[in-house]
Amino acid sequence: MPSVQQRVLVVSAVVIAAVAGALLFEALLSLGETTPFGHTRYGHAAGWVGLAVTLLVFVYPLRKRISPARRWPRGWFRVHMVAGVVGPLLIFLHSGAHYHALVPILAMLSMVIVVVSGIIGQAVHAFSLRALNDQRRRLQHEGASDGDIDAQLHGMASQEEAFRMWQAIHAPMTLMFLVFTLLHVVGALFFAGIS
Amino acid sequence: MRYHPLPRTAVPVVALVTLVLVVWIGWGSVRSPASFWAPGDLSRYHVDQAGCTHCHEPFRGPSAARCVSCHSERYFADRATPAVTTWHRELAMQRTACTACHMEHRGALAQITEQARTNPHGEFVFRATGTSSCTACHEFGARVAIRPTPAVTTWHRELAMQRTACTACHMEHRGALAQITEQARTNPHGEFVFRATGTSSCTACHEFGARVAIRPTLRDEPIVRRLYEQGRGAHRPGRIAGCLSCHSGG
């Protein structure tokens, strides 16, 4: 079973490659043009589509809160994960590597924090927690005492506790992301026009 | 797997930080709106404008009505050639958006006109010469193409009717200052001779044939006679070509 460190490296590499790919694609679409792709009508359309896809992520938490007694919405959780990655990648295509105004920069930063914390939660923390529980069960099966188990698993438990931080960041930062995204959209419509 | 409950301070802290940032954005939008909202720096042509709403109508974008408030008929009459004025007047009557050809917020040194001609003298030539436009020294047509003489016009019309490819004589992509016409004559007086003599074309003094490769002759024009007179006292009388022994390259 690969270690948590290996998992972190793989996840980091995939995230960086995905973001770089989106930015490179935007640069390719901007080649030879007087205006970068992100500042064209098609770039703006990519922003709208990215926003629509990103908003799909809220169906999962809303269903959990509206109907807590119902079975856990596994399907909508999958939609939450996919939309939470595809939507932001479309936003990177919309923005390109052109950052000037502070409001969209703040919206982008809060989006990155929400997305990265979610990826850490699902891809790294869940893996670390599962590894910790598997190791604890194995030691209990071998007859180790609770004190011995805690001593042996101290390092893994600390690691899991560190990755648990994603919980304190992911959902609350959504508030900041929504506020700055709204400001960016309203500001863009104010200065560039609605049509 | 069951996760631990969310810390109770998490949401209030994020909400407070968000509120502080929103207040900062509000304050900054009054002090320096471009830093918070503009997609790029304004060009040097518009950087002295007072505010965003000089060009942007709320929720309608950069409207032609805002452009024309500065770039009026009077503005064009004072600064543009009649051909350029007519060109823009026709576009305005057709309600063509100014942004179809003019783009802003691409940086201080960016060109704001689509397909604008690159200035081969560099941007400081305006400051150095006390001018504010290329048209102070150069003649341009309705689109920034050079106005041809009747003989050249007839020559090109015949070639077009014969469906001769333009690239048989004209070559591009050889640099900003390169000649684009095969066997084109290099101006031996240098580019500033037009400003120095108050003329705008080689044909003010010289007669050319249908192909510019033919040796030009001097025209019997007041400008040519004046230059002869000016050359006589300081130098030696005779052929104007003698001036090139000292004044080569302008």
Side-chain angles (χ1 to χ4, degrees):
Chain A
M1 187 181 186
S3 67
V4 175
Q5 286 82 2
Q6 284 174 324
R7 184 76 170 215
V8 169
L9 280 173
V10 168
V11 168
S12 302
V14 171
V15 167
I16 290 169
V19 171
L23 293 177
L24 278 172
F25 188 46
E26 192 275 343
L28 189 70
L29 291 172
S30 304
L31 268 180
E33 301 293 332
T34 51
T35 307
F37 172 79
H39 293 179
T40 63
R41 298 175 70 174
Y42 302 106
H44 295 160
W48 284 115
V49 173
L51 177 65
V53 172
T54 304
L55 289 177
L56 281 176
V57 306
F58 292 102
V59 177
Y60 165 70
L62 284 172
R63 279 190 74 105
K64 278 201 314 178
R65 275 161 180 71
I66 291 170
S67 311
R70 289 179 70 173
R71 201 175 55 164
W72 180 61
R74 181 190 297 272
W76 280 111
F77 179 64
R78 291 199 180 111
V79 171
H80 176 87
M81 286 192 292
V82 171
V85 169
V86 171
L89 282 177
L90 286 171
I91 297 298
F92 272 110
L93 181 66
H94 158 69
S95 75
H98 318 284
Y99 303 109
H100 184 268
L102 286 168
V103 171
I105 287 175
L106 286 170
M108 173 69 81
L109 281 175
S110 53
M111 181 192 78
V112 167
I113 291 171
V114 173
V115 173
V116 169
S117 61
I119 290 174
I120 289 173
Q122 181 57 27
V124 178
H125 179 234
F127 181 83
S128 174
L129 190 62
R130 192 180 311 125
L132 182 66
N133 288 339
D134 286 348
Q135 193 71 347
R136 190 183 297 278
R137 249 181 261 119
R138 187 181 66 79
L139 289 170
Q140 283 172 344
H141 184 72
E142 287 173 2
S145 67
D146 287 348
D148 284 341
I149 291 172
D150 285 344
Q152 286 193 49
L153 298 181
H154 177 74
M156 282 184 79
S158 302
Q159 193 177 60
E160 185 272 333
E161 205 168 315
F163 284 123
R164 206 190 301 160
M165 182 65 68
W166 78 271
Q167 267 185 282
I169 296 172
H170 185 65
M173 279 299 294
T174 305
L175 172 68
M176 190 181 287
F177 162 68
L178 285 173
V179 168
F180 290 135
T181 298
L182 183 66
L183 279 176
H184 169 54
V185 169
V186 171
L189 292 175
F190 179 87
F191 289 108
I194 290 175
S195 57
Chain B
M1 267 175 297
R2 296 186 64 180
Y3 293 124
H4 290 257
L6 194 67
R8 297 173 76 176
T9 56
V11 174
V13 166
V14 171
L16 182 64
V17 171
T18 304
L19 183 64
V20 167
L21 288 171
V22 169
V23 169
W24 175 60
I25 288 170
W27 171 82
S29 299
V30 173
R31 289 286 301 266
S32 175
S35 302
F36 285 81
W37 303 98
D41 288 335
L42 278 173
S43 71
R44 60 200 178 286
Y45 306 109
H46 295 125
V47 72
D48 58 346
Q49 294 305 307
C52 306
T53 50
H54 263 77
C55 304
H56 292 269
E57 277 192 55
F59 296 105
R60 297 184 70 178
S63 66
R66 297 286 166 115
C67 301
V68 168
S69 65
C70 291
H71 300 278
S72 57
E73 189 83 40
R74 172 72 181 268
Y75 172 93
F76 276 96
D78 288 344
R79 299 172 65 132
T81 62
V84 172
T85 304
T86 305
W87 169 260
H88 284 88
R89 187 187 300 116
E90 289 170 2
L91 287 172
M93 286 165 63
Q94 292 163 20
R95 299 192 182 280
T96 304
C98 305
T99 51
C101 298
H102 298 282
M103 290 139 296
E104 254 293 1
H105 290 294
R106 297 192 300 170
L109 297 181
Q111 287 289 347
I112 63 169
T113 306
E114 191 188 65
Q115 296 177 16
R117 181 178 287 267
T118 307
N119 181 357
H121 309 297
E123 290 305 310
F124 287 105
V125 67
F126 299 116
R127 194 166 176 78
T129 57
T131 55
S132 59
S133 166
C134 302
T135 55
C137 303
H138 297 279
E139 180 78 32
F140 295 96
R143 295 300 293 266
V144 293
I146 294 171
R147 190 193 307 277
T149 62
V152 173
T153 302
T154 304
W155 168 258
H156 283 87
R157 187 184 300 120
E158 290 171 3
L159 286 173
M161 287 166 66
Q162 293 163 16
R163 299 191 183 278
T164 304
C166 304
T167 49
C169 301
H170 296 285
M171 285 134 307
E172 253 295 2
H173 293 295
R174 296 193 299 173
L177 298 179
Q179 289 289 346
I180 64 169
T181 306
E182 188 190 60
Q183 297 177 13
R185 180 175 289 272
T186 306
N187 181 357
H189 310 297
E191 290 302 310
F192 285 105
V193 67
F194 300 115
R195 188 165 178 78
T197 57
T199 55
S200 60
S201 166
C202 303
T203 55
C205 300
H206 297 281
E207 187 74 41
F208 291 93
R211 294 294 302 266
V212 293
I214 294 172
R215 186 183 181 81
T217 57
L218 285 174
R219 301 173 68 177
D220 186 18
E221 292 288 332
I223 178 66
V224 175
R225 283 189 237 114
R226 180 166 64 82
L227 289 172
Y228 261 117
E229 290 293 326
Q230 286 176 339
R232 184 173 299 166
H235 309 103
R236 63 176 188 277
R239 293 151 55 91
I240 193 87
C243 303
L244 293 178
S245 62
C246 296
H247 292 284
S248 58

Short mmCIF file of all heavy atoms in Angstrom, two decimals, chain A residues 13-56:
data_model
loop_
_atom_site.label_atom_id
_atom_site.label_comp_id
_atom_site.label_asym_id
_atom_site.label_seq_id
_atom_site.Cartn_x
_atom_site.Cartn_y
_atom_site.Cartn_z
N ALA A 13 1.07 16.49 -7.94
CA ALA A 13 1.52 16.49 -9.34
C ALA A 13 0.32 16.56 -10.29
O ALA A 13 0.34 17.30 -11.28
CB ALA A 13 2.34 15.25 -9.63
N VAL A 14 -0.72 15.82 -9.98
CA VAL A 14 -1.90 15.81 -10.85
C VAL A 14 -2.57 17.19 -10.85
O VAL A 14 -2.98 17.71 -11.89
CB VAL A 14 -2.88 14.71 -10.42
CG1 VAL A 14 -4.20 14.84 -11.16
CG2 VAL A 14 -2.28 13.33 -10.68
N VAL A 15 -2.70 17.79 -9.68
CA VAL A 15 -3.33 19.12 -9.57
C VAL A 15 -2.53 20.15 -10.37
O VAL A 15 -3.08 20.91 -11.16
CB VAL A 15 -3.46 19.54 -8.09
CG1 VAL A 15 -3.82 21.03 -7.98
CG2 VAL A 15 -4.51 18.69 -7.38
N ILE A 16 -1.21 20.15 -10.17
CA ILE A 16 -0.36 21.11 -10.89
C ILE A 16 -0.45 20.90 -12.39
O ILE A 16 -0.56 21.85 -13.17
CB ILE A 16 1.10 21.01 -10.39
CG1 ILE A 16 1.20 21.54 -8.96
CG2 ILE A 16 2.04 21.79 -11.30
CD1 ILE A 16 2.52 21.26 -8.28
N ALA A 17 -0.45 19.64 -12.81
CA ALA A 17 -0.53 19.35 -14.24
C ALA A 17 -1.86 19.80 -14.82
O ALA A 17 -1.92 20.34 -15.93
CB ALA A 17 -0.33 17.85 -14.47
N ALA A 18 -2.94 19.60 -14.09
CA ALA A 18 -4.26 19.99 -14.58
C ALA A 18 -4.36 21.50 -14.72
O ALA A 18 -4.84 22.02 -15.75
CB ALA A 18 -5.36 19.48 -13.63
N VAL A 19 -3.90 22.22 -13.72
CA VAL A 19 -3.96 23.69 -13.77
C VAL A 19 -3.06 24.21 -14.88
O VAL A 19 -3.45 25.07 -15.68
CB VAL A 19 -3.57 24.29 -12.41
CG1 VAL A 19 -3.42 25.81 -12.52
CG2 VAL A 19 -4.61 23.95 -11.35
N ALA A 20 -1.83 23.66 -14.96
CA ALA A 20 -0.90 24.09 -16.01
C ALA A 20 -1.49 23.79 -17.39
O ALA A 20 -1.34 24.58 -18.33
CB ALA A 20 0.45 23.39 -15.84
N GLY A 21 -2.14 22.66 -17.50
CA GLY A 21 -2.75 22.30 -18.78
C GLY A 21 -3.83 23.30 -19.19
O GLY A 21 -3.89 23.72 -20.35
N ALA A 22 -4.66 23.69 -18.24
CA ALA A 22 -5.71 24.67 -18.55
C ALA A 22 -5.10 26.02 -18.95
O ALA A 22 -5.54 26.65 -19.91
CB ALA A 22 -6.64 24.85 -17.33
N LEU A 23 -4.08 26.44 -18.23
CA LEU A 23 -3.45 27.73 -18.54
C LEU A 23 -2.72 27.67 -19.89
O LEU A 23 -2.76 28.62 -20.67
CB LEU A 23 -2.47 28.12 -17.43
CG LEU A 23 -3.09 28.43 -16.07
CD1 LEU A 23 -2.01 28.74 -15.04
CD2 LEU A 23 -4.06 29.59 -16.15
N LEU A 24 -2.08 26.54 -20.17
CA LEU A 24 -1.38 26.40 -21.46
C LEU A 24 -2.37 26.38 -22.61
O LEU A 24 -2.11 26.93 -23.68
CB LEU A 24 -0.55 25.12 -21.46
CG LEU A 24 0.81 25.23 -20.80
CD1 LEU A 24 1.48 23.87 -20.67
CD2 LEU A 24 1.73 26.18 -21.57
N PHE A 25 -3.52 25.74 -22.39
CA PHE A 25 -4.54 25.69 -23.43
C PHE A 25 -5.04 27.09 -23.73
O PHE A 25 -5.26 27.47 -24.89
CB PHE A 25 -5.68 24.77 -22.98
CG PHE A 25 -6.70 24.51 -24.06
CD1 PHE A 25 -6.31 24.17 -25.34
CD2 PHE A 25 -8.05 24.60 -23.79
CE1 PHE A 25 -7.22 23.94 -26.34
CE2 PHE A 25 -8.99 24.37 -24.79
CZ PHE A 25 -8.58 24.03 -26.06
N GLU A 26 -5.23 27.90 -22.68
CA GLU A 26 -5.66 29.28 -22.89
C GLU A 26 -4.59 30.06 -23.64
O GLU A 26 -4.90 30.86 -24.53
CB GLU A 26 -5.95 29.94 -21.53
CG GLU A 26 -6.67 31.29 -21.63
CD GLU A 26 -5.75 32.46 -21.85
OE1 GLU A 26 -4.52 32.31 -21.62
OE2 GLU A 26 -6.24 33.53 -22.26
N ALA A 27 -3.32 29.82 -23.30
CA ALA A 27 -2.22 30.50 -24.00
C ALA A 27 -2.20 30.09 -25.47
O ALA A 27 -1.96 30.92 -26.36
CB ALA A 27 -0.88 30.16 -23.34
N LEU A 28 -2.46 28.84 -25.73
CA LEU A 28 -2.51 28.35 -27.12
C LEU A 28 -3.64 29.02 -27.88
O LEU A 28 -3.48 29.42 -29.04
CB LEU A 28 -2.72 26.82 -27.08
CG LEU A 28 -2.59 26.08 -28.41
CD1 LEU A 28 -1.15 26.08 -28.86
CD2 LEU A 28 -3.07 24.64 -28.26
N LEU A 29 -4.78 29.16 -27.25
CA LEU A 29 -5.91 29.80 -27.91
C LEU A 29 -5.66 31.30 -28.11
O LEU A 29 -6.29 31.92 -28.96
CB LEU A 29 -7.19 29.61 -27.06
CG LEU A 29 -7.73 28.18 -26.98
CD1 LEU A 29 -8.85 28.09 -25.96
CD2 LEU A 29 -8.21 27.69 -28.33
N SER A 30 -4.74 31.87 -27.34
CA SER A 30 -4.45 33.30 -27.45
C SER A 30 -3.32 33.59 -28.44
O SER A 30 -3.07 34.76 -28.74
CB SER A 30 -4.04 33.86 -26.08
OG SER A 30 -5.02 33.61 -25.13
N LEU A 31 -2.65 32.54 -28.94
CA LEU A 31 -1.49 32.73 -29.83
C LEU A 31 -1.90 33.51 -31.08
O LEU A 31 -2.88 33.17 -31.74
CB LEU A 31 -0.94 31.37 -30.27
CG LEU A 31 0.18 30.76 -29.44
CD1 LEU A 31 0.60 29.42 -30.01
CD2 LEU A 31 1.39 31.69 -29.36
N GLY A 32 -1.13 34.53 -31.40
CA GLY A 32 -1.37 35.28 -32.62
C GLY A 32 -2.59 36.19 -32.58
O GLY A 32 -2.91 36.85 -33.57
N GLU A 33 -3.26 36.25 -31.45
CA GLU A 33 -4.44 37.11 -31.35
C GLU A 33 -4.06 38.42 -30.66
O GLU A 33 -3.15 38.44 -29.83
CB GLU A 33 -5.53 36.41 -30.51
CG GLU A 33 -5.99 35.07 -31.07
CD GLU A 33 -6.73 35.21 -32.39
OE1 GLU A 33 -7.34 36.27 -32.61
OE2 GLU A 33 -6.68 34.28 -33.20
N THR A 34 -4.77 39.47 -31.03
CA THR A 34 -4.49 40.76 -30.39
C THR A 34 -5.03 40.79 -28.96
O THR A 34 -4.50 41.50 -28.11
CB THR A 34 -5.14 41.91 -31.18
OG1 THR A 34 -6.52 41.59 -31.41
CG2 THR A 34 -4.45 42.10 -32.51
N THR A 35 -6.08 40.01 -28.71
CA THR A 35 -6.68 39.97 -27.37
C THR A 35 -6.53 38.56 -26.82
O THR A 35 -6.80 37.59 -27.54
CB THR A 35 -8.17 40.33 -27.46
OG1 THR A 35 -8.30 41.57 -28.15
CG2 THR A 35 -8.79 40.47 -26.09
N PRO A 36 -6.13 38.41 -25.56
CA PRO A 36 -6.06 37.06 -24.98
C PRO A 36 -7.42 36.38 -25.01
O PRO A 36 -8.45 37.05 -24.94
CB PRO A 36 -5.61 37.31 -23.53
CG PRO A 36 -5.05 38.68 -23.52
CD PRO A 36 -5.73 39.44 -24.60
N PHE A 37 -7.41 35.04 -25.10
CA PHE A 37 -8.66 34.29 -25.18
C PHE A 37 -9.60 34.65 -24.04
O PHE A 37 -10.81 34.79 -24.24
CB PHE A 37 -8.35 32.79 -25.15
CG PHE A 37 -9.57 31.92 -25.03
CD1 PHE A 37 -10.35 31.65 -26.14
CD2 PHE A 37 -9.95 31.38 -23.81
CE1 PHE A 37 -11.48 30.85 -26.03
CE2 PHE A 37 -11.08 30.59 -23.69
CZ PHE A 37 -11.85 30.32 -24.81
N GLY A 38 -9.04 34.79 -22.82
CA GLY A 38 -9.88 35.05 -21.67
C GLY A 38 -10.66 36.35 -21.77
O GLY A 38 -11.67 36.52 -21.09
N HIS A 39 -10.21 37.29 -22.61
CA HIS A 39 -10.87 38.58 -22.73
C HIS A 39 -11.78 38.63 -23.95
O HIS A 39 -12.28 39.69 -24.31
CB HIS A 39 -9.83 39.70 -22.82
CG HIS A 39 -9.05 39.89 -21.56
ND1 HIS A 39 -8.05 40.82 -21.41
CD2 HIS A 39 -9.10 39.25 -20.36
CE1 HIS A 39 -7.54 40.75 -20.21
NE2 HIS A 39 -8.14 39.79 -19.55
N THR A 40 -11.99 37.52 -24.62
CA THR A 40 -12.88 37.47 -25.78
C THR A 40 -14.26 36.97 -25.34
O THR A 40 -14.45 36.54 -24.19
CB THR A 40 -12.33 36.52 -26.86
OG1 THR A 40 -12.29 35.19 -26.30
CG2 THR A 40 -10.94 36.92 -27.29
N ARG A 41 -15.20 36.98 -26.29
CA ARG A 41 -16.55 36.51 -25.97
C ARG A 41 -16.51 35.03 -25.59
O ARG A 41 -17.26 34.58 -24.73
CB ARG A 41 -17.46 36.71 -27.17
CG ARG A 41 -17.60 38.17 -27.57
CD ARG A 41 -18.40 38.32 -28.82
NE ARG A 41 -19.80 37.99 -28.59
CZ ARG A 41 -20.74 38.15 -29.50
NH1 ARG A 41 -20.44 38.60 -30.68
NH2 ARG A 41 -21.98 37.83 -29.25
N TYR A 42 -15.63 34.27 -26.27
CA TYR A 42 -15.54 32.84 -25.97
C TYR A 42 -14.94 32.62 -24.58
O TYR A 42 -15.34 31.71 -23.86
CB TYR A 42 -14.70 32.14 -27.04
CG TYR A 42 -15.26 32.31 -28.43
CD1 TYR A 42 -14.65 33.16 -29.35
CD2 TYR A 42 -16.42 31.65 -28.81
CE1 TYR A 42 -15.17 33.34 -30.62
CE2 TYR A 42 -16.95 31.82 -30.07
CZ TYR A 42 -16.32 32.66 -30.97
OH TYR A 42 -16.84 32.85 -32.21
N GLY A 43 -13.99 33.47 -24.23
CA GLY A 43 -13.42 33.39 -22.89
C GLY A 43 -14.45 33.70 -21.83
O GLY A 43 -14.50 33.06 -20.78
N HIS A 44 -15.28 34.71 -22.08
CA HIS A 44 -16.35 35.03 -21.13
C HIS A 44 -17.35 33.89 -21.04
O HIS A 44 -17.84 33.56 -19.96
CB HIS A 44 -17.07 36.31 -21.57
CG HIS A 44 -16.19 37.53 -21.52
ND1 HIS A 44 -16.47 38.69 -22.20
CD2 HIS A 44 -15.03 37.76 -20.87
CE1 HIS A 44 -15.51 39.57 -21.97
NE2 HIS A 44 -14.63 39.03 -21.17
N ALA A 45 -17.64 33.25 -22.20
CA ALA A 45 -18.55 32.11 -22.19
C ALA A 45 -17.98 30.98 -21.36
O ALA A 45 -18.72 30.31 -20.61
CB ALA A 45 -18.82 31.63 -23.62
N ALA A 46 -16.66 30.76 -21.45
CA ALA A 46 -16.02 29.72 -20.62
C ALA A 46 -16.20 30.04 -19.15
O ALA A 46 -16.40 29.14 -18.33
CB ALA A 46 -14.53 29.63 -20.97
N GLY A 47 -16.15 31.31 -18.81
CA GLY A 47 -16.39 31.72 -17.42
C GLY A 47 -17.80 31.40 -16.96
O GLY A 47 -18.00 30.88 -15.85
N TRP A 48 -18.78 31.68 -17.82
CA TRP A 48 -20.18 31.39 -17.45
C TRP A 48 -20.40 29.89 -17.29
O TRP A 48 -21.06 29.45 -16.34
CB TRP A 48 -21.12 31.94 -18.51
CG TRP A 48 -21.32 33.43 -18.45
CD1 TRP A 48 -20.95 34.35 -19.39
CD2 TRP A 48 -21.91 34.19 -17.39
NE1 TRP A 48 -21.28 35.62 -18.99
CE2 TRP A 48 -21.87 35.55 -17.76
CE3 TRP A 48 -22.48 33.85 -16.16
CZ2 TRP A 48 -22.37 36.57 -16.95
CZ3 TRP A 48 -22.98 34.87 -15.35
CH2 TRP A 48 -22.92 36.21 -15.75
N VAL A 49 -19.85 29.10 -18.23
CA VAL A 49 -20.01 27.65 -18.15
C VAL A 49 -19.31 27.11 -16.91
O VAL A 49 -19.85 26.27 -16.18
CB VAL A 49 -19.46 26.97 -19.43
CG1 VAL A 49 -19.47 25.46 -19.28
CG2 VAL A 49 -20.28 27.37 -20.64
N GLY A 50 -18.12 27.63 -16.64
CA GLY A 50 -17.38 27.21 -15.44
C GLY A 50 -18.15 27.53 -14.17
O GLY A 50 -18.20 26.72 -13.24
N LEU A 51 -18.79 28.70 -14.14
CA LEU A 51 -19.58 29.07 -12.97
C LEU A 51 -20.78 28.14 -12.81
O LEU A 51 -21.07 27.67 -11.70
CB LEU A 51 -20.05 30.53 -13.11
CG LEU A 51 -20.96 31.04 -11.97
CD1 LEU A 51 -20.20 31.09 -10.66
CD2 LEU A 51 -21.50 32.42 -12.30
N ALA A 52 -21.46 27.85 -13.92
CA ALA A 52 -22.63 26.96 -13.86
C ALA A 52 -22.23 25.57 -13.36
O ALA A 52 -22.92 24.99 -12.51
CB ALA A 52 -23.28 26.87 -15.24
N VAL A 53 -21.13 25.05 -13.88
CA VAL A 53 -20.67 23.72 -13.44
C VAL A 53 -20.27 23.76 -11.97
O VAL A 53 -20.59 22.85 -11.19
CB VAL A 53 -19.50 23.24 -14.32
CG1 VAL A 53 -18.88 21.97 -13.77
CG2 VAL A 53 -19.96 23.01 -15.76
N THR A 54 -19.59 24.82 -11.57
CA THR A 54 -19.15 24.94 -10.16
C THR A 54 -20.34 25.01 -9.23
O THR A 54 -20.30 24.46 -8.11
CB THR A 54 -18.26 26.18 -10.00
OG1 THR A 54 -17.16 26.09 -10.91
CG2 THR A 54 -17.71 26.29 -8.59
N LEU A 55 -21.40 25.69 -9.63
CA LEU A 55 -22.58 25.81 -8.75
C LEU A 55 -23.25 24.46 -8.51
O LEU A 55 -23.98 24.29 -7.51
CB LEU A 55 -23.57 26.81 -9.35
CG LEU A 55 -23.12 28.28 -9.30
CD1 LEU A 55 -24.14 29.19 -9.98
CD2 LEU A 55 -22.88 28.75 -7.85
N LEU A 56 -23.02 23.48 -9.40
CA LEU A 56 -23.59 22.14 -9.19
C LEU A 56 -23.08 21.50 -7.90
O LEU A 56 -23.73 20.62 -7.34
CB LEU A 56 -23.23 21.23 -10.37
CG LEU A 56 -24.06 21.39 -11.65
CD1 LEU A 56 -23.50 20.49 -12.74
CD2 LEU A 56 -25.53 21.07 -11.39
#
